[in-house]
């Protein structure tokens, strides 16, 4: 009996799954083409899944073990089940393995269930609440129907009239399990994440993010350029179908784990953004429908159920429509600080920031709807090459007494010091002065571009104005190409990121260092000597564009250590550092929330007990200093270093590297 | 005049905006002129009026850049009347306006390049025999050939006027700011060129034009009977150079000092 | 204007007190006698031109300012301040320089006086053959002062049709002046108060190409007019030097106001009656605006509140009494005490007020950016070392609430005094 029903069930479920998969693929294919190497991607899939994805998931050991047991068990059980029960290869060995697999899955599902008893707020509810039960139904039923195969149960038990009831129950359970696991996987149930997730990993739009066997890889954070030459190419994303197909696929991979939402500073500040909901809205848009079924944290202040979209309808309602008539409100998109905390946390390696900037591009380039000060700032950039609309000829006024060497005079130096738009900001000028003092103390051969420098284009790009970004970038690249230098050093992580990671696509390839990295190197090379730290306790705030964007967590800490400072780390630091609120043009678009992001960050500082917070970014300095009623002082690392400088003792004049005394490098050990 | 004001109501309101090449005050880069862009904004905010943009100029690169600035506001075309660089644009504009016969012409208060005298709207009005009003902050309504408008006065005050159409109205910085100019529409928009004979502005060729010099700050001349008073006044001026700090004063004394300043500056009304 | 008759105890008392210096005028007014001059409701002297003056020897109406005509009122009501000015009368001018002052509120503005200073220079350039400055004054105006500002002749036009915003009627009148007097120059203030507009209309009507935005005039023998001028062009970014044309629209501070001499300010009348003009612009009057809600970018006087303000009612009251527009720091906005559109600073509005009073605002860089172009900054703050105090032209250290309260009291006292003076006048 069971022997006839099971194959039918299994193959029906499989057939339905295939149909579902085709339908799903059709949904993704609505997107625009993207250059993806399909075979290479599929070949890399196992490694991407087992190594890279697991690397992220393993930040939470419990979940990672649960997932290994459940997913591993399921994959094995599914394959074996097809063999054993579908094709009827009733070998005891296979049967035994199947028992093991389903048992493992069952154990896993127990943990999944436990997690669902009192789920943290970031987890979505709805269909996700039934998932542990479905997992159990599947694993238990498979376990039970396999028992006879290995002879642990008399074959006859399920035969005969008495067992009718049992059979019906079992078949019911199997059907439930198969329904969720096979059918649901491609028809939009919670298990969709396995199907879409696997393909998403294979066809990811940033394959550079994944490690290779040879090592390397890992970070790919630069935004991708729009083709402005082609007048028919859409400027950004207006409707879901304007995303590339693999972006749509990526949205479908979301497991609604809410790790992104837990990390998002905008959500925490009560601004109308939740990265998880945003991704889910994109899924709603690609399939068409309303967000009424969303069962997670909404955008603060925006009830669920009022928004809806279609693959070819606008994501953000054009001004003419009443609010809420579309998929997402503009202010949701403008709340993002592009801090990448969500991307960093996402186990499915979904690219929220790319999607947000894509949609902003449409709003800015096509609709001219950059909110608040956005339009003014962009006009300034266009007319004066700086954010504040200052006279570009006054870029170096602050340094009139410093006699800074100019590239135009020297033509060739070791270090090109990129000053950034902080040149116009009185507060940042103090940092720049400190940095110049440090460079001079270390006798670095450096020069500045002076009035030839322009804004790097970071803000323009993140406000969606790709045209202004590219115009600035191209002119900066032309200027830089006139001179010869080994590396660019800057105290602005935003310029650092853009020059280092985003100019390359436009033809400007440079070696760029953040000043903390460079100072650390100078110190290691014995070119700087510090007096011991006498101040109070210090904590360090990782700038997003230095840390998460560029992986530089160590150098600033090393510099502080060299100063004799023992850091009191904040709870959220390093790759999980909380944004200051200053990135992505967020202070310019200034979407109101319940509180301000920098206020929360200064609260983190307060909780660490530190009296001073060291930063390495002009934007962070401005944001954190703008917080009122705080006790902690905000200083840039360059300032701390400049204050601690002492004349080098004569004997130790040059080149006495500190490196060997500290940790010996690999080569040194080998040699 | 081809106008019949009584039938204006039935026909669609047609508005022409005269736009010029703006110039950024610090960098001199060509851009849409601020006042003109506000005029365009005002025209666009008139609901279902048909809006035409017109420009008379030399059609150079700066001109192209500036016109793209207006197109980026969501305008599909700018009618560009090509003129020699030293031409007087009034005859050409008068010609085209007479032909296009809009009911309302909006312009900026004065241009950001050239003489910038702000005379063009007056000259056009005199030539065409139309009404001219200046300094519009808002158009409240247009009915039966009469526009009800708010004219901006200093200090944020407003005066309501009823103006018989056809009229030319100037817009200055008290009008709502222009919407953002977006790249996409700017790139797509059309510059419709047409030719018109140029009339050279002879007078202007005799002028000497330099970058603006800083105007000397007027010294406060103290006219006082006694030399002693004059001396005292001069001395007092000198030491208050860096700003006055009143510490350890009673609130009344502090208030008195503020009051004196407010009165001196003439802001107490 | 209200028609209600209000009892004024003070006036009644003056009417009773025969020794009071204003006795005569008050009595006259209360008795509704035919007066040639009386104070209008807002302190502006209203005149009945038909009741004043006599016809002079050459047919021009003359007004005797000795006061003898004024219903027998005493010559001088207030002791004139001791006067060192030279009185100048130009009997037979070689030419005329016409000036059309703005006369806002019936008074010569600073701008008007500068322009009259310029007119004087041009009239007096040739000591042998001096010209006369003739001012065309529309509407009611405060007496006196005209002569002090350098005016030799006054064409006073105060018919109904010129009141309010009446550029068309005024233009017709100015054209009539042109026809009858043919002044050598026309000087008009290039102001937003009407002069800029009137001057352009006039120039276009006369078919003259004016110089606008003129800020400097000097003699030039090569020029047909004997003068050359420097004018701002290209929205204030260039200077155009050119021969001075007949019609000149000049900026404030184009010349020093007259201070050494006093002039006759002799009334003259136009011979021809003025034609009726069919106006196509109808003035519906000023729209009442609450000074507190004037858009920040346009406000000339801002009282701005920050985190240091504790007594919000007191602050709002102060803004109302002072007639100031309200501004705020971001903290005051974030904390919900002020509306978002009131925020001053980098992420709010950039203001360019003549006076900016910062109450309990520390002066963060983002805030200071927004007030860069303010002329005078006043700080009220507890902390004398904060950046706002450093930026301020006047800083008063103390509690904001107390100081605002004292300021309100002081201003209220001033307002009362003003009222009394007005009543007394
Ligand atoms: C990107 C960014 C943009 C910003 N944009 C703006 C902006 O546009 N506008 C803006 O204002 N801010 C802006 N800020 C915030 C700015 O940095 C400051 O936080 C803010 O201006 C401080 O406001 P405050 O002076 O009212 O408050 P505080 O700094 O707290 O100052 C309060 C002041 O009141 C004084 N005080 C306290 N009690 C009394 C009393 N009883 N009597 C008198 N004085 C008293 C104190 O001495 C102190 O000087 C921005 C910040 C950032 C990071
Ligand atoms: S980038 Fe930062 S602010 Fe933007 S959605 Fe992600 S976590 Fe939130
Ligand atoms: S986007 Fe990523 S982190 Fe956010 S809920 Fe989905 S899977 Fe989790």
């Amino acid at each position: 009996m069971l022997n006839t029903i099971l194959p039918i069930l299994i193959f029906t479920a499989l057939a339905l799954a295939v149909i579902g998969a085709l339908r799903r693929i059709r949904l993704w294919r609505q997107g625009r083409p993207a250059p993806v190497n399909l075979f290479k991607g599929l070949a890399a899939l196992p490694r991407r899944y087992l190594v890279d994805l697991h690397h992220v998931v393993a930040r939470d050991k419990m979940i990672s073990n649960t997932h290994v047991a459940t997913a591993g068990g399921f994959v094995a059980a599914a394959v074996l089940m097809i063999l054993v029960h579908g094709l009827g290869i009733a070998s005891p060995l296979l049967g035994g393995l199947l028992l093991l697999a389903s048992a493992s899955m069952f154990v896993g599902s127990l943990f999944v269930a436990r997690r669902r008893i009192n789920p943290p707020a970031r987890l979505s509810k709805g269909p996700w609440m039934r998932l542990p039960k479905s997992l159990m139904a599947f694993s238990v039923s498979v376990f039970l129907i396999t028992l006879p195969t290995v002879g642990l149960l008399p074959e006859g038990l399920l035969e005969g009239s008495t067992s009718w009831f049992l059979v019906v129950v079992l078949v019911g359970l199997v059907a439930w399990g198969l329904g969720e696991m096979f059918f649901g996987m491609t028809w939009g149930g919670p298990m969709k994440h396995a199907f879409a997730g696997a393909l998403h990993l294979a066809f990811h739009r940033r394959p550079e993010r994944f490690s290779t066997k040879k090592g390397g890889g890992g970070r790919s954070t630069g935004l991708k350029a729009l083709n402005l030459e082609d007048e028919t190419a859409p400027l950004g994303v207006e409707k879901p179908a304007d995303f590339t197909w693999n972006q749509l696929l990526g949205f479908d991979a979301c497991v609604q784990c809410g790790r992104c939402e837990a990390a998002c500073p905008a959500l925490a500040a009560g601004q109308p953004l939740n990265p998880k909901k945003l991704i889910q809205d994109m899924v709603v848009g690609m399939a068409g429908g309303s967000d009424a079924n969303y069962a997670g944290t909404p955008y603060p202040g925006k009830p669920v159920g009022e928004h809806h979209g279609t693959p070819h309808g606008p994501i953000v309602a054009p001004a003419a429509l009443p609010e809420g008539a579309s998929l997402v409100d503009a202010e949701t998109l403008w709340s993002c600080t592009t801090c990448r905390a969500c991307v960093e946390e996402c186990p499915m390696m979904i690219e929220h920031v790319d999607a947000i900037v894509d949609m902003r591009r449409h709003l800015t380039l096509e609709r001219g709807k950059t909110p608040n000060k956005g339009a003014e700032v962009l006009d300034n950039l266009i007319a004066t090459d700086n954010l504040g609309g200052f006279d570009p000829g006054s870029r170096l006024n602050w340094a009139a007494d410093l006699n800074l060497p100019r590239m135009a005079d020297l033509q060739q130096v070791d270090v090109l010091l990129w000053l950034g738009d902080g040149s116009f900001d009185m507060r940042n000028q103090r940092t720049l002065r400190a940095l110049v003092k440090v460079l001079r103390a270390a006798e670095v051969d450096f020069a500045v571009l002076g009035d030839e420098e322009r804004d790097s284009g970071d803000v323009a790009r993140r406000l969606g104005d790709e045209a202004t970004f590219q115009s600035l970038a191209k002119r900066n690249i032309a200027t830089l190409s006139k001179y010869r230098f080994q590396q660019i050093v800057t105290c602005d992580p935003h310029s650092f990121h853009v020059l280092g990671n985003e100019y390359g696509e436009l033809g400007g390839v440079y070696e760029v260092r953040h000043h903390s990295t460079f100072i650390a190197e100078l110190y290691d090379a014995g070119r700087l000597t510090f007096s011991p730290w006498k101040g109070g306790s210090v904590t360090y705030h990782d700038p997003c564009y230095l840390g998460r964007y560029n992986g530089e967590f160590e150098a600033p800490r090393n510099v502080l250590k060299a100063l004799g400072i023992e850091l009191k780390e904040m709870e959220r630091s390093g790759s999980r550092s909380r944004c200051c609120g200053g990135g992505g043009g967020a202070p310019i678009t200034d979407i109101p929330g319940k509180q301000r992001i920098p206020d929360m960050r200064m609260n983190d500082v307060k909780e660490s007990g530190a009296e001073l917070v060291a930063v390495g970014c002009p934007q962070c300095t401005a944001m954190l200093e703008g917080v009122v009623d705080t006790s902690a002082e905000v200083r840039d690392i360059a300032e701390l270093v400049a204050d601690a400088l002492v004349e080098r003792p004569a004997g130790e004049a040059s080149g006495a590297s500190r490196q060997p005394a500290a940790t010996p490098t690999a080569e040194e050990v080998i040699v | 005049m081809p106008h019949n004001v009584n039938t204006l109501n039935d026909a669609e309101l047609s508005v022409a905006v005269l736009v010029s090449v703006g110039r950024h005050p610090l960098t001199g880069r060509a851009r849409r002129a601020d006042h003109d862009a506000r005029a365009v904004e005002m025209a666009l905010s008139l609901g279902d009026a048909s809006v035409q943009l017109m420009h008379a100029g030399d059609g150079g690169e700066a001109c192209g850049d500036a016109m793209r600035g207006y197109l980026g506001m969501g305008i599909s075309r700018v009618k560009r009347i090509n003129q020699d660089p030293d031409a007087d644009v009034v005859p050409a504009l008068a010609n085209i306006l007479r032909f296009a016969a809009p009911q309302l012409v909006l312009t900026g208060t004065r241009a950001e390049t050239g003489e910038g005298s702000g005379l063009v709207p007056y000259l056009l009005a005199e030539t065409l025999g139309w009404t001219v009003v200046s300094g519009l902050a808002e158009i409240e309504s247009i009915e039966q050939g009469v526009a009800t408008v708010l004219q901006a006065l200093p200090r944020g005050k407003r005066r309501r006027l009823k103006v018989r159409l056809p009229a030319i109205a100037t817009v200055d910085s008290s009008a709502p700011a222009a919407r953002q100019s977006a790249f996409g529409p700017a790139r797509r928009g059309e510059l419709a060129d047409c030719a018109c004979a140029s009339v050279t502005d002879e007078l202007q060729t005799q002028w000497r034009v330099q970058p603006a010099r800083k105007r000397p700050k007027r010294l406060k001349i103290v006219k006082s009977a006694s030399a002693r008073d004059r001396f005292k006044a001069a001395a007092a001026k000198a030491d208050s150079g860096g700003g006055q700090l009143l510490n350890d004063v009673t609130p009344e004394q502090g208030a008195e000092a503020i009051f004196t300043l407010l009165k001196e500056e003439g802001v107490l009304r | 204007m209200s028609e209600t008759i209000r009892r004024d105890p003070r006036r009644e008392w003056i009417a009773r007190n025969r020794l009071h210096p204003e006795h005569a005028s008050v009595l006259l007014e209360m008795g509704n006698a035919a007066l040639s001059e009386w104070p209008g409701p807002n302190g502006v002297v209203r005149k009945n031109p038909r009741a004043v003056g006599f016809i002079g020897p050459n047919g021009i109406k003359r007004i005797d300012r000795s006061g003898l005509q004024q219903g027998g009122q005493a010559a001088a009501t207030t002791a004139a301040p001791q006067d060192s000015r030279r009185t100048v009368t130009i009997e037979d001018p070689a030419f005329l320089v016409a000036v059309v002052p703005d006369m806002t509120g019936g008074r010569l503005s600073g701008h008007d006086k500068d322009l009259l200073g310029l007119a004087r220079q041009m009239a007096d350039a040739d000591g042998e053959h001096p010209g006369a400055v003739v001012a065309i004054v529309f509407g009611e105006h405060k007496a006196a002062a005209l002569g002090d500002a350098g005016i030799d002749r006054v064409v006073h036009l105060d018919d109904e049709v010129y009141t309010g915003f009446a550029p068309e009627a005024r233009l017709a009148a100015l054209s009539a002046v042109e026809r009858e007097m043919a002044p050598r120059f026309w000087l008009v203030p290039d102001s937003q108060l009407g002069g800029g507009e009137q001057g352009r209309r006039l120039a276009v009507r006369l078919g003259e190409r004016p110089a606008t935005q003129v800020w400097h005039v000097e003699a030039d023998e090569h020029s047909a007019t004997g003068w050359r001028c420097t004018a701002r062009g290209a929205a204030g970014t260039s200077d155009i030097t050119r021969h001075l044309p007949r019609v000149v629209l000049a900026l404030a501070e184009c010349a020093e106001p007259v201070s050494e001499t006093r002039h006759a300010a002799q009334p003259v009348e136009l011979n021809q009656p003025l034609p009726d003009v069919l106006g196509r612009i109808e003035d519906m009057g000023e729209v009442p605006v609450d000074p507190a809600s004037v858009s920040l970018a346009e406000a000339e006087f801002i009282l701005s509140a920050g985190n240091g303000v504790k007594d919000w009612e007191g602050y709002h009251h102060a803004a109302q009494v002072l007639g100031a527009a309200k501004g705020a720091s971001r903290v005051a906005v974030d904390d919900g005490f002020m509306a978002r559109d009131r925020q001053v600073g980098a992420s709010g509005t950039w203001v360019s007020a003549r006076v900016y009073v910062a109450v309990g605002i520390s002066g963060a860089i983002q805030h200071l950016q927004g007030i860069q172009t303010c002329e005078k900054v006043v700080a009220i703050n507890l902390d004398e070392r904060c950046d706002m105090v450093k930026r301020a032209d006047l800083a008063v250290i103390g509690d904001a609430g107390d100081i605002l309260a004292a300021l309100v009291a002081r201003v209220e006292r001033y307002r009362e005094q003003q009222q009394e003076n007005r009543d007394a006048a």
Side-chain angles (χ1 to χ4, degrees), chain B residues 4-222:
Chain B
N4 181 347
V5 285
N6 295 322
T7 62
L8 280 182
N9 220 18
D10 313 321
E12 189 188 33
L13 177 69
S14 94
V15 180
V17 189
L18 306 182
V19 294
S20 61
V21 177
R23 184 177 174 280
H24 191 273
L26 289 176
T27 57
R29 285 186 202 163
R31 58 166 192 182
R32 53 182 178 154
D34 179 60
H35 290 175
D36 300 3
R38 287 174 196 259
V40 175
E41 179 65 43
M42 192 173 280
L44 291 177
S45 67
L46 283 176
D48 40 32
S50 89
V51 177
Q52 297 184 67
L53 266 59
M54 298 171 182
H55 167 74
D58 65 4
E61 194 186 327
C63 169
D65 288 353
M67 293 308 127
R68 295 264 163 233
Y70 299 107
L71 290 170
M73 296 171 74
I75 305 284
S76 52
R77 66 200 284 256
V78 174
K79 192 161 193 127
R80 191 159 67 163
I81 312 144
N82 284 325
Q83 296 275 291
D84 295 341
D86 54 358
D88 176 3
V89 296
V90 172
L93 287 174
N95 247 337
I96 193 164
L97 284 178
R98 198 172 281 127
F99 180 74
Q103 285 131 30
L104 179 64
V105 180
L106 295 175
T107 77
T109 297
R110 55 172 167 264
E112 292 175 4
T113 54
E115 185 184 358
S117 63
L119 277 167
V120 170
Y122 296 89
L123 288 165
L124 287 173
E126 190 76 11
T127 315
L128 298 166
W130 296 357
T131 326
V132 59
V133 279
S134 70
L136 250 58
E138 194 186 324
I139 297 175
E140 291 188 314
S141 67
I142 298 185
E143 274 163 9
Q144 314 245 294
V146 174
T148 310
V149 302
L150 291 185
Q151 185 184 44
L153 302 176
R155 286 183 285 286
K157 296 206 184 113
R158 301 284 183 261
R159 175 157 52 206
R160 185 170 289 125
L161 302 175
K162 275 194 193 296
V163 183
R164 194 158 284 284
L165 302 181
I168 301 180
T170 73
V171 170
D172 68 14
S173 49
S174 20
R179 67 192 59 186
Q180 190 173 354
S181 175
F183 177 79
R187 189 168 70 172
R188 277 192 301 275
E190 181 201 356
L191 292 177
D193 288 312
C194 63
C196 183
S198 299
V199 181
T200 308
D201 180 359
E202 295 293 348
L203 198 56
Q204 245 190 76
T205 54
Q206 303 161 15
W207 298 347
R208 194 159 50 97
V209 183
Q210 296 164 295
R213 273 176 289 158
K214 227 182 155 59
R215 288 182 63 183
K217 254 216 149 33
R218 177 184 270 177
L219 297 175
K220 261 217 172 82
I221 298 174
V222 180

Side-chain angles (χ1 to χ4, degrees), chain A residues 527-585:
Chain A
R527 289 165 71 177
L528 293 171
T529 313
F530 305 136
S531 60
W533 174 249
K534 288 196 278 297
S537 55
V538 177
T539 188
Y540 170 68
H541 163 78
D542 288 274
C544 307
Y545 276 72
L546 182 62
R548 271 191 295 274
Y549 272 80
N550 286 291
E552 185 58 281
F553 303 107
E554 287 314 310
R557 289 182 168 77
N558 289 342
V559 172
L560 293 171
K561 201 159 122 207
L563 290 172
I565 292 171
E566 204 170 315
L567 280 186
K568 285 190 165 183
E569 291 284 3
M570 286 182 269
E571 190 178 310
R572 286 182 62 170
S573 66
S575 68
R576 286 191 156 163
S577 166
R578 195 208 295 265
C579 178
C580 71

Side-chain angles (χ1 to χ4, degrees), chain A residues 444-523:
Chain A
V444 174
D445 172 30
F446 77 96
V448 298
L449 286 173
D451 296 346
E452 288 184 285
E453 193 181 301
R454 294 170 190 83
D455 180 83
S456 66
D458 163 69
V459 172
R461 187 167 233 196
R462 267 140 269 271
L463 288 178
D465 192 347
E466 184 71 4
T468 301
F469 166 75
Q470 288 191 14
S471 151
L472 287 166
K474 284 179 182 153
R475 284 177 292 146
N476 274 326
I477 290 171
T479 304
L480 289 169
S481 70
K482 292 194 295 186
Y483 305 119
R484 290 176 47 183
F485 48 88
Q486 308 282 321
Q487 53 181 323
I488 298 174
V489 171
T490 178
C491 66
D492 172 20
H494 295 266
S495 304
F496 170 36
H497 168 68
V498 171
L499 288 167
N501 300 329
E502 297 189 350
Y503 275 23
E505 209 180 349
L506 302 171
V509 180
Y510 314 103
E511 168 114 16
V512 193
R513 276 185 172 60
H514 185 244
H515 68 315
S516 65
T517 317
F518 191 63
I519 291 174
E521 285 173 3
L522 290 176
Y523 177 77

